[in-house]
Amino acid sequence: MEFASSSRVFNRTHQFSLLSTPPPSQKPSSLFNPSPNAFYIRFSTTSFSPRNLSCKSTLKDTTNTSVAAPKMAENGVRDFELSNLTALSPLDGRYWNKVKDLSPYMSEYGLIYYRVLVEIKWLLKLSQIPEITEVPSFSEEAEAYLEGLIDGFSMGDALEVKKIEKVTNHDVKAVEYFLKKKCQPHPEIAKVLEFFHFACTSEDINNLAHALMLKEAMNGVVFPVMDKLIKAICKLAEDNASTSMLSRTHGQPASPTTLGKEMAVFAARLSEQRHEISQVKLKGKFAGAVGNYNAHLSAYPSVNWPLTAKEFVESLGLCFNPYVTQIEPHDYMARLFHAIIVFNTILIDFDRDIWGYISLGYFKQTTKAGEIGSSTMPHKVNPIDFENSEGNLGKANGNLSHLGEKLPISRWQRDLTDSTVLRNMGEALGHSLLAYKSALQGIAKLQVNETRLSEDLNQSWEVLAEPIQTVMRRYGVPEPYEKLKELTRGRAVTKDSIKEFIEGLELPKEAKNYLLELTPHTYVGAAIELSKTVDIAISLVNGVTTL
């Protein structure tokens, strides 16, 4: 099963704002006991087509010169409230504006929302099973009421669930109680309240919620930025298809290429790996406490529960896994996260190469008025975007690696170690997203320095030793490699010395003229054509674009 956009069940627009003070109409929640300077999240929703999924967020400045310093607690530690300055993760503080689009999906709010969705969809599924006479088919009005709880799910609703959780100390049970409370006033639904969470273990709800979180976050946020990055690198390739550049193998001058072709290599690699990510099948289970439908069959032995579970999971746009314990074993998550690691590793390679080309002077960087590169060296224009990208990719890969290695392991039929780890999926994707955007920002600043590229080529005539000795081989000149080695290795080679050597060779006139016309600028092989056609290669790879 692929990440197919046509099977989405999520049809809402999210808007989050991090505010320094609560909205005038909203009192501070006793759940968090916030101060006037704490973070608040404002949420609003509007319906729209699933194909037009979008997220919008705004970060308002929390700086307030009149705010008093935090008071010292009795133990001598400052008592801070959560804000963009006190958040432990820089994703929720310094970098919030660049990663906030993930928040509707990968946050605690997102997890609660998808749990609500799964619980309601399961109740609706039960009403469609003829053998379960206790849950008759709902009227159109009742169905609309239940669907409205999904579509209208608000931040206030999520806070209500958290308030219930403070009593239950169980997050999924809190969702069940929340839904019962919401549906109690509806006379038709009130008759079947005990069929919320029917025959379910918490992991039946959680595994589907986590899969939907990943599905929507990847399709709605991560893939579009990946695609934008690939297109930006592809444009670098096409724009510089004919810009000759000295290659370096082992850090030493090697056969010339073009700048465009070297960019094309990264565009193709990233495109292929992005395609691999989109091929991961997102799986779900709904088989009860240990994967055998024990409770289901005890209540309704005549129902084909494995088929019912399969239909239900697939109705959510996921692939059904029939062989499970209490948990879906998370193997697909490991495949997904390791596939993202490979994409990120390729981008690290790109970041480091661009960093090196900037160091060589092959690229200049556009400057912005007011920006400072060094606190002590005024002339500096540092490649900070690529360094930021590389650093965040390393952080992301560390998180993704742990997720991929830990999640498939669970003692016997289930232990709880996956639960706390799964709550960090957003951090792994957040650092990845931040890295992609930093790389894009860096690419936008690049200016090719053709003068510097030309200088290096003009000083590297020794690279023509390769084509000369190859042509000599064709025409039977003895010891061609050895003769070029004697001419070039460890010696200064110039245009004149190369020309003199060629003229002394016993070669056909046509071959000799070809070598005499060859320069480090023109000895680029098929690099130009490879650069110009990379878009075709990329389009052939990306047949499937979503999970």
Side-chain angles (χ1 to χ4, degrees):
M1 169 110 203
E2 296 159 357
F3 285 30
S5 60
S6 60
S7 59
R8 288 184 186 172
V9 296
F10 190 64
N11 61 348
R12 55 203 284 114
T13 298
H14 299 273
Q15 290 184 324
F16 286 97
S17 300
L18 296 179
L19 306 176
S20 59
T21 56
S25 60
Q26 180 179 330
K27 294 181 180 180
S29 168
S30 59
L31 178 62
F32 298 117
N33 190 26
S35 76
N37 301 309
F39 259 136
Y40 284 84
I41 304 178
R42 175 178 295 161
F43 173 83
S44 65
T45 63
T46 56
S47 298
F48 71 107
S49 167
R51 293 185 177 275
N52 191 30
L53 185 64
S54 63
C55 310
K56 296 181 180 179
S57 308
T58 56
L59 177 67
K60 294 195 175 181
D61 189 3
T62 61
T63 304
N64 186 340
T65 55
S66 63
V67 175
K71 296 179 179 180
M72 296 287 284
E74 291 182 2
N75 60 1
V77 178
R78 291 191 183 278
D79 186 15
F80 283 112
E81 297 288 352
L82 178 63
S83 76
N84 61 336
L85 295 179
T86 62
L88 293 181
S89 169
L91 296 179
D92 297 316
R94 181 181 184 87
Y95 300 125
W96 168 254
N97 277 332
K98 291 187 175 182
V99 301
K100 61 191 177 184
D101 289 350
L102 284 172
S103 185
Y105 312 110
M106 305 310 297
S107 61
E108 182 77 0
Y109 165 85
L111 177 57
I112 296 171
Y113 166 79
Y114 284 109
R115 284 169 170 164
V116 167
L117 183 150
V118 173
E119 292 277 14
I120 291 174
K121 294 289 186 181
W122 179 235
L123 181 63
L124 289 169
K125 177 64 177 177
L126 292 174
S127 74
Q128 299 166 5
I129 301 174
E131 293 89 341
I132 304 181
T133 57
E134 291 79 2
V135 187
S137 297
F138 288 116
S139 65
E140 290 186 6
E141 189 275 333
E143 283 193 12
Y145 183 89
L146 289 168
E147 293 287 355
L149 293 178
I150 299 172
D151 296 338
F153 191 76
S154 68
M155 188 58 61
D157 290 333
L159 289 171
E160 179 65 23
V161 172
K162 296 300 291 184
K163 192 178 296 183
I164 297 170
E165 186 186 340
K166 289 187 70 175
V167 177
T168 63
N169 197 31
H170 196 288
D171 48 5
V172 177
K173 204 66 178 175
V175 171
E176 178 189 343
Y177 288 170
F178 165 79
L179 289 172
K180 287 180 176 179
K181 180 179 178 182
K182 280 285 188 179
C183 293
Q184 183 65 52
H186 193 285
E188 183 178 347
I189 304 173
K191 297 177 182 178
V192 296
L193 291 182
E194 291 307 320
F195 283 85
F196 274 117
H197 204 71
F198 178 77
C200 293
T201 183
S202 294
E203 193 57 22
D204 285 332
I205 308 303
N206 282 335
N207 90 96
L208 298 182
H210 286 128
L212 291 172
M213 290 166 69
L214 283 171
K215 179 184 178 71
E216 297 299 335
M218 291 297 297
N219 288 345
V221 182
V222 179
F223 277 149
V225 180
M226 282 183 170
D227 292 340
K228 189 175 180 181
L229 178 60
I230 293 168
K231 288 177 182 178
I233 298 174
C234 191
K235 189 174 187 305
L236 272 178
E238 293 169 344
D239 290 349
N240 298 282
S242 302
T243 304
S244 299
M245 183 180 80
L246 183 66
S247 294
R248 281 177 169 79
T249 58
H250 309 281
Q252 306 303 308
S255 300
T257 182
T258 70
L259 179 58
K261 183 262 174 178
E262 300 314 306
M263 297 300 102
V265 169
F266 285 109
R269 291 173 66 192
L270 290 169
S271 179
E272 182 176 5
Q273 190 57 31
R274 181 252 190 263
H275 178 69
E276 288 296 315
I277 297 169
S278 73
Q279 298 302 293
V280 176
K281 297 175 181 178
L282 302 189
K283 296 186 176 183
K285 57 85 68 172
F286 214 73
V290 293
N292 302 330
Y293 308 96
N294 304 49
H296 307 67
L297 290 167
S298 68
Y300 295 98
S302 62
V303 175
N304 186 339
W305 287 109
L307 177 60
T308 299
K310 181 176 186 293
E311 292 173 346
F312 178 62
V313 170
E314 291 180 351
S315 74
L316 300 177
L318 304 172
C319 182
F320 178 64
N321 187 351
Y323 292 98
V324 297
T325 58
Q326 185 174 109
I327 66 170
E328 200 291 320
H330 307 314
D331 296 344
Y332 84 85
M333 287 187 174
R335 283 189 285 272
L336 175 64
F337 296 143
H338 283 301
I340 297 173
I341 286 173
V342 174
F343 184 95
N344 290 353
T345 301
I346 295 169
L347 188 57
I348 289 174
D349 195 22
F350 171 82
D351 288 335
R352 290 180 178 177
D353 275 12
I354 296 296
W355 188 97
Y357 293 141
I358 292 171
S359 179
L360 291 171
Y362 290 178
F363 284 114
K364 295 180 181 179
Q365 298 177 96
T366 57
T367 58
K368 185 177 180 181
E371 283 190 349
I372 295 173
S374 167
S375 62
T376 187
M377 295 174 282
H379 68 282
K380 296 292 291 294
V381 183
N382 295 326
I384 57 173
D385 296 305
F386 299 104
E387 292 171 340
N388 181 283
S389 176
E390 180 184 341
N392 278 287
L393 290 167
K395 181 68 168 66
N397 282 2
N399 292 351
L400 291 165
S401 179
H402 178 65
L403 289 167
E405 292 172 4
K406 189 275 156 289
L407 289 176
I409 300 171
S410 187
R411 295 172 181 86
W412 294 336
Q413 283 67 54
R414 198 268 164 94
D415 65 47
L416 202 62
T417 54
D418 65 331
S419 179
T420 188
V421 174
L422 284 164
R423 292 180 182 275
N424 290 279
M425 293 190 300
E427 182 182 13
L429 293 184
H431 282 288
S432 296
L433 180 65
L434 176 58
Y436 306 157
K437 290 188 174 183
S438 293
L440 275 167
Q441 188 169 305
I443 291 170
K445 295 178 182 178
L446 294 178
Q447 290 182 327
V448 178
N449 186 353
E450 294 194 35
T451 300
R452 183 69 188 88
L453 286 162
S454 183
E455 287 174 356
D456 266 4
L457 288 166
N458 289 335
Q459 295 173 8
S460 302
W461 282 83
E462 66 272 17
V463 297
L464 296 186
E466 180 188 49
I468 295 171
Q469 65 97 6
T470 304
V471 172
M472 290 168 66
R473 286 175 185 273
R474 175 186 174 182
Y475 291 105
V477 178
E479 298 184 329
Y481 180 88
E482 288 72 18
K483 290 177 180 177
L484 267 298
K485 176 182 175 183
E486 182 181 353
L487 173 69
T488 61
R489 196 160 193 249
R491 298 184 179 184
V493 180
T494 65
K495 177 180 179 180
D496 291 338
S497 63
I498 285 287
K499 181 179 179 182
E500 182 181 351
F501 181 84
I502 295 171
E503 288 177 338
L505 295 174
E506 293 184 5
L507 292 173
K509 183 177 180 182
E510 183 180 351
K512 184 175 290 189
N513 287 340
Y514 166 75
L515 291 176
L516 288 170
E517 292 174 3
L518 203 59
T519 72
H521 292 78
T522 59
Y523 179 53
V524 295
I528 296 174
E529 185 63 22
L530 287 168
S531 306
K532 290 181 176 179
T533 57
V534 66
D535 59 330
I536 298 175
I538 288 174
S539 65
L540 289 175
V541 167
N542 285 329
V544 176
T545 59
T546 57
L547 286 164

